[in-house]
Amino acid sequence: MALHLPYWPTDYLKRAEPALKNQPLALYERIKGGLRLAALDPEGLQNGLRLGQNLADARAIWPQLTVREIDRPRLEAAFGDFADWHSNASPLVSVMTDVSRFGDLVLDITGVSHLFEGEARMLSKLIIRLRALGYRVSGAIAPTIGAAWAISHFARSQVVGDDNLVTLLDALPVAALRLEEAQLLTLTQMGLKTVGQLRQYPRKPLQARFGASLLIRLDQAFGEIEERMTPRLPLVEYFAERRFADPISLMDDVLRTVHDLAVKLKETLEAQGLGAQAFHLFLYRVDHKVMTLSLNAGRVTRDPDHIADLFHHRSQRLEAEYDPGFGIDMVRLAASSTDRLDAVQTGAFSIEEGTEDIDRLNDRLTSRLGPLAVLRTELVASRLPERAARLVPVQSGAAVPAIAAPVLQRPLKLLPAPEAVAIMAEVPHGLPASMVWRGETYRLVRGQGPERLGGEWWRKGERLKLVEPDPKKPKPYEPALPQFNPDAGTRDYYVVEDQHGSRFWVFRQGLYGSKNPTWYLHGFFP
Amino acid sequence: MSAPDRQQRLAALRDTIADIERKPALAEAANRPRSEPGAFPALPSGLVQEVYANGARDSGASLAFALTQAKSLLTTRRSTIYYVQLAHEGKHLGLPYGPGLSWFGINPEKLVIVRVADMTEFLWATEEATACRAVAAIIAEVRGASKLLNFTASRRLSLRASANRVSLFMLRYGTRRESSAGHLRWQIMPQRSGRHAFDDRAPGKARWRLKLERGRIAGNQMDWMLEARKNGFAIFSQPAGLGQSQAQTPVLGAPPALLAHRLSQAS
């Protein structure tokens, strides 16, 4: 099914701003320094205005005209929301951007129309619904996307079957094939006005003159070549939905619905022996907007209580952003990333292990605090202390087998960024004797070190200086990279203790004698 | 009748009365300390302990004190330790460091780090973790003071903690003490470390002085000098004025929050 909204920009603005409702409206655009009309409402067209006209001319023709500058990104985004809202009719919705960035909508209604008591009733229902909202719209249901587009633009709204597709298309002008301006111009010069005439014409000269694109469009319209659409929303196989006769708006009501839907979804999934990891909640607002809420569980699940619980926590986090507008008339809960989940027997012989409870706790924390707030440590094979451990979200898949790192003396706490300190130490090998850190002086009475860690030249895009090769042999390949300075990257780590017993981990970046070695405090020992 | 015999009979009588009244047995009956004379008692789970340190420089010490206790609480059923910190304080206090945990004797995978944005989330996350029966211990670190972290909040946490027998360690800083419903309050002061086995100039095993500011544990002892060992603490010297002669009094355990039959909380 294709829906065509020829006056989308003006209709949308009139709906968004009721003050414009009964005024003639035109949108202009700055093209090469001139102000030209980019969108018009039907009254404007009747009064002799046309697209691309100079703004001054248009004002002269019709002085009462209200004009606005066109805001294409905003219109595009609004049309995207509008398209998403149509997923309450069919899950596969996409915006056709072949000719214009907004105004054309295509829905795949295979296997959906019976929910609306047939194709014809579905079409009229959707069109009437939009007209009631103040949008001028025409639509068509056809076997191919190209044909539906053509008919929605150039014929009255109707359902076309395979039998009368050819006769109807043949009568339409060539512009119905979504062609480029230049191609249309040439076709008119050739005297080919309708699709029928074009189809009678031999194909080879056409291809030579217009390239393959013309023939592809022709074949797509008649279904010789398959055309694909990219749905805006991810396709979900498993979902449960509920429509409301009266719109609901309270978050609590939504959450209660979510629980009911989760129970329904569980039955579907259970029958297939599946569980899911990602859950998406779609709230369809009365004023054609869709709010989506997605979350992930740490392990595959289908437990309705747990799912409802996660959405409950997520909603608390979004309290301020939640805006039901004039109400929500449909709620859909979808599950993706499904995987096998066999039924598990619980009972006398099961071993009580805490892992499941821990996973659930992590899910709850993540759903409210965000995935980057609940972390676990992953050890990395690196010499630099700050690289040797990194924090990853607990939900980030299976734990990698820990690398067998040698257990070194390392502090229990590490500062995220080493802090520069002033340290007095004997040159070159003495232990640090005093330190100034955060404005306080510490007298260091004990120390251990240095533990020397070399810089990792392979991380910085630097080149290691190799031994001078044999001059007789050809020189090996050398990448054009700055040469690695081993002195600057080297760190000497010390464990130090002050007179009161606080124990720190400090290091000196760079060697004495190199440019300017600096001291940093990096961590705290117990 | 000898003294221990008499105590046993008294305890038995108390249990009987409690059973008749369908109330939990007195707290101490359930939580006999596994303490040996001269050692730091093994504190039962389900306690809220506040550990006050002087500043960020001692944050390693207070974390180690909490982790040493938490390590003994890890079981297969309770397999994870949670660490909660305000995200903006991490820059000042540092974060638990994986290789350091390995060095300390804790598998870094057992520690989940939760970084929260504000105090409301902090309390929520702490309470949520306290409510989970698979958590061994929670270590919550707050540097500053907050109006939200008041007596009511700590009462909530302590009730949750004792109901689920999850230990909660609040790592606090500074000299200000707020009213709270925690069971024990410690002040930790690092001491000059012991002698290193091979290097006289190097710091040896960590030593701390711990003052019990609130609550009561075995022996009514208020002041401890502890040395960190592989599996717990060792007392390295008795502060002056405290003898071993005092009678062993039971550890103050977590007062059970649920007024139910005591069998129900045996799990």
Side-chain angles (χ1 to χ4, degrees), chain B residues 10-11 14-15 17-19 21 23-34 42-47 162-163 165 183 216 249-260 262 265-266:
Chain B
L10 273 175
R14 278 195 194 126
D15 281 4
I17 295 167
D19 277 354
E21 290 183 348
K23 275 185 183 169
L26 292 170
E28 53 255 45
N31 301 311
R32 288 254 171 236
R34 288 165 289 158
L43 297 170
S45 61
L47 291 178
S162 48
R165 312 214 67 79
H183 301 110
R216 220 158 51 95
T249 53
V251 169
L252 170 96
L258 302 167
L259 291 180
R262 76 196 165 92
Q265 29 164 335

Side-chain angles (χ1 to χ4, degrees), chain A residues 110-414:
Chain A
T110 316
V112 178
S113 55
H114 70 277
L115 298 172
F116 295 84
E117 299 158 9
E119 290 181 341
R121 294 195 74 142
M122 180 176 186
L123 183 64
S124 65
K125 200 169 178 178
L126 283 173
I127 287 178
I128 287 167
R129 190 169 76 175
L130 287 179
R131 284 189 181 146
L133 292 174
Y135 295 109
R136 270 152 285 217
V137 60
S138 58
I141 292 180
T144 65
I145 295 175
W149 190 90
I151 294 160
S152 70
H153 276 246
F154 291 96
R156 63 183 175 81
S157 304
Q158 59 191 307
V159 180
V160 185
D162 282 319
D163 44 349
N164 57 352
L165 176 70
V166 177
T167 46
L168 204 70
L169 275 187
D170 278 352
L172 295 182
V174 281
L177 290 177
R178 292 176 284 167
L179 300 178
E180 289 159 25
E181 289 284 330
Q183 288 176 330
L184 284 178
L185 206 66
T186 325
L187 282 174
T188 333
Q189 285 167 359
M190 287 169 72
L192 298 174
K193 282 188 183 143
T194 65
V195 178
Q197 290 169 349
L198 184 64
R199 210 158 56 84
Q200 304 294 326
Y201 205 81
R203 288 172 72 94
K204 276 199 178 145
L206 280 180
Q207 175 153 18
R209 195 152 184 180
F210 298 98
S213 69
L214 178 82
L215 292 178
I216 287 176
R217 288 296 189 208
L218 191 64
D219 289 345
Q220 279 175 345
F222 286 95
E224 311 284 338
I225 300 180
E226 196 186 351
E227 188 177 358
R228 295 245 169 104
M229 57 180 273
T230 329
R232 280 181 57 85
L233 297 174
L235 184 61
V236 282
E237 264 181 87
Y238 301 97
F239 63 89
E241 60 185 36
R242 177 175 288 178
R243 286 159 203 270
F244 300 98
D246 290 322
I248 58 168
S249 60
L250 288 179
M251 195 72 212
D252 289 347
D253 293 339
V254 172
L255 291 172
R256 230 165 285 153
T257 316
V258 168
H259 188 265
D260 292 354
L261 292 177
V263 173
K264 262 202 214 167
L265 194 63
K266 181 207 162 203
E267 283 164 8
T268 324
L269 290 171
E270 203 166 30
Q272 312 250 6
L274 289 174
Q277 258 191 311
F279 295 93
H280 316 276
L281 185 66
F282 301 95
L283 307 175
Y284 292 86
R285 276 165 48 168
V286 175
D287 50 346
H288 63 78
K289 275 220 173 69
V290 188
M291 287 183 286
T292 53
L293 214 57
S294 294
L295 49 80
N296 287 300
R299 60 161 66 187
V300 175
T301 182
R302 55 172 177 244
D303 179 2
D305 293 330
H306 185 50
I307 298 167
D309 201 27
L310 292 184
F311 275 109
H312 177 71
H313 290 308
R314 169 57 60 86
S315 70
Q316 280 182 337
R317 191 170 157 224
L318 294 175
E319 202 80 67
E321 292 164 42
Y322 174 72
D323 171 25
F326 296 105
I328 293 160
D329 60 0
M330 192 176 118
V331 177
R332 172 183 291 170
L333 179 67
S336 62
S337 312
T338 51
D339 202 354
R340 267 205 91 65
L341 180 64
D342 294 322
V344 183
Q345 182 183 349
T346 54
F349 298 106
S350 63
I351 307 162
E352 272 201 29
E353 259 205 9
T355 46
E356 193 176 339
D357 285 351
I358 291 291
D359 280 346
R360 293 196 163 196
L361 175 62
N362 287 339
D363 284 355
R364 282 202 297 279
L365 292 173
T366 307
S367 67
R368 167 136 176 202
L369 306 173
L372 290 177
V374 191
L375 308 158
R376 65 182 163 81
T377 307
E378 196 177 275
L379 299 179
V380 182
S382 173
R383 264 188 262 161
L384 291 179
E386 62 266 31
R387 283 191 50 87
R390 74 169 168 226
L391 296 173
V392 292
V394 275
Q395 287 188 331
S396 62
V400 258
I403 48 159
V407 177
L408 301 166
Q409 188 180 10
R410 290 283 177 266
L412 208 49
K413 273 189 143 184
L414 198 74

Side-chain angles (χ1 to χ4, degrees), chain A residues 313 352 354 357-358 362 364 368-369 373 375 385 408 411-414 416 438 446-447 497 499-503 526, chain B residues 56 58 64 77 80 82 90 92 94-97 100 103 113-115 121 124 128 134 141 190-194 201-202:
Chain A
H313 290 308
E352 272 201 29
D357 285 351
I358 291 291
N362 287 339
R364 282 202 297 279
R368 167 136 176 202
L369 306 173
L375 308 158
L408 301 166
L412 208 49
K413 273 189 143 184
L414 198 74
R438 288 182 187 167
R446 279 178 169 182
E497 182 182 299
Q499 79 266 34
H500 299 297
S502 303
R503 283 165 281 274
Chain B
D58 298 337
R77 177 80 187 98
T80 311
Y82 276 76
H92 194 89
L95 279 161
Y97 179 52
W103 170 254
I113 297 171
V114 183
R115 307 190 69 197
E121 284 189 355
W124 177 82
E128 200 69 18
E141 190 163 42
Q191 299 292 308
R192 295 280 295 273
S193 58
R201 293 193 302 169

Side-chain angles (χ1 to χ4, degrees), chain A residues 11-38:
Chain A
D11 285 348
Y12 170 73
L13 280 181
K14 281 182 180 178
R15 204 176 137 71
E17 294 172 42
L20 298 172
K21 192 119 198 171
N22 293 317
Q23 290 174 17
L25 179 67
L27 303 178
Y28 65 88
E29 192 174 23
R30 224 170 262 275
I31 298 173
K32 288 180 190 160
L35 303 179
R36 310 238 166 221
L37 294 188

